Structures are given as structure tokens and as C-alpha cells.
């Protein structure tokens, strides 16, 4: 885990995507906590108290929607879904369960940073 600026928990099981997110986020001054499974993501959210969570929906153990459900039982930390699932139903389900935003893969780093900044602004104002 790096400990720079705002802390981002990345819940992602694809090694290439995790590497891209780690490199991109740390280059912009974010601290990064990594989890490769949904259960590890829920535990990391509780233990590390991140400023924002980037969450893939397709995880090897529990679905990302279940991760949102579990985290929302006790936390208001902003959750930005990053998923290859681009169907409207998936987006609606994630947002209705408590995700704050939804980005469909592939995405650009600039768009992701903008969405993270929005989530951080909204949580700071809450």
C-alpha cells in the first residue's frame, strides 16, 4: 500500500487492470490499497477507511453488487464502479444499491480522475 494523498481502495481481480490503476493513481498522488476479491475488498474498506472505492463487478468470489450491499451496511465511502458490464440494468442495479458512479471499461484515465474528484468533493460536502 502506498500512503500518498487521498486513499483509493481498488477492488479488481485482473492483474493488468490493477497494474494500470496502481500506476495511474500513484502518479497522480493517490494512495492505493489493493484487493483482488470481493471479500478482501469489504475487509480492506473496513480496515483502511479509504476516501473512495474503485470496484469491479466481476470478481472471483462474490459479485461486486454484493460488495456494494455489504459496504453500504456501515459506510458512506464513495464507490465508483469500474466494469466491463455496460448494460443499463447493471448500471441501475449498482447505483440503486449505493454506488456513487459507474464507469464502463475501457475508460480513459482523465475520465476516471474526474469521477474520483467528483466523488471526493461530494463526500467532503456531506
Amino acid at each position: 500500500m502506498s500512503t500518498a494523498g487521498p486513499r483509493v481502495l481498488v477492488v479488481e481481480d485482473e492483474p493488468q487492470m490493477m497494474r494500470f490503476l496502481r500506476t495511474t493513481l500513484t502518479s497522480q498522488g493517490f494512495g492505493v490499497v489493493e484487493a483482488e476479491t470481493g471479500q478482501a475488498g469489504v475487509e480492506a474498506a473496513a480496515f483502511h477507511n479509504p476516501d473512495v472505492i474503485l470496484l469491479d463487478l466481476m470478481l472471483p468470489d462474490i459479485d461486486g453488487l454484493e460488495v456494494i450491499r455489504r459496504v453500504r451496511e456501515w459506510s458512506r465511502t464513495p464507490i465508483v464502479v469500474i466494469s466491463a458490464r455496460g448494460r443499463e440494468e447493471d448500471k441501475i442495479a449498482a447505483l440503486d444499491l449505493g454506488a456513487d458512479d459507474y464507469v464502463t471499461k475501457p475508460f480513459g484515465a482523465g475520465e476516471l480522475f474526474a469521477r474520483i474528484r467528483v466523488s471526493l468533493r461530494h463526500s467532503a460536502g456531506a
Side-chain angles (χ1 to χ4, degrees):
M1 178 184 85
S2 60
T3 57
R7 191 175 359 211
V8 179
L9 168 59
V10 179
V11 185
E12 170 64 65
D13 67 319
E14 295 176 32
Q16 289 178 314
M17 180 59 73
M18 181 66 85
R19 250 189 323 277
F20 166 74
L21 291 168
R22 178 189 324 112
T23 302
T24 305
L25 291 164
T26 56
S27 75
Q28 295 297 307
F30 290 96
V32 176
V33 177
E34 300 176 14
E36 295 178 0
T37 66
Q39 183 59 40
V42 172
E43 292 169 5
F47 184 77
H48 293 284
N49 192 28
D51 298 297
V52 66
I53 299 169
L54 297 182
L55 173 66
D56 186 19
L57 292 184
M58 294 185 284
L59 298 167
D61 57 346
I62 58 175
D63 188 75
L65 296 175
E66 180 62 21
V67 173
I68 296 169
R69 194 176 290 112
R70 291 182 187 182
V71 169
R72 282 294 173 251
E73 290 176 356
W74 52 270
S75 175
R76 300 303 324 147
T77 299
I79 299 172
V80 177
V81 171
I82 50 171
S83 181
R85 292 186 196 171
R87 297 179 325 164
E88 183 179 19
E89 302 83 40
D90 294 319
K91 294 175 184 179
I92 291 168
L95 294 167
D96 282 348
L97 283 171
D100 297 275
D101 205 346
Y102 195 110
V103 183
T104 304
K105 295 177 184 177
F107 53 84
E111 177 186 4
L112 181 62
F113 290 137
R115 292 174 184 271
I116 291 171
R117 287 191 302 269
V118 167
S119 293
L120 290 170
R121 277 196 310 267
H122 287 175
S123 68

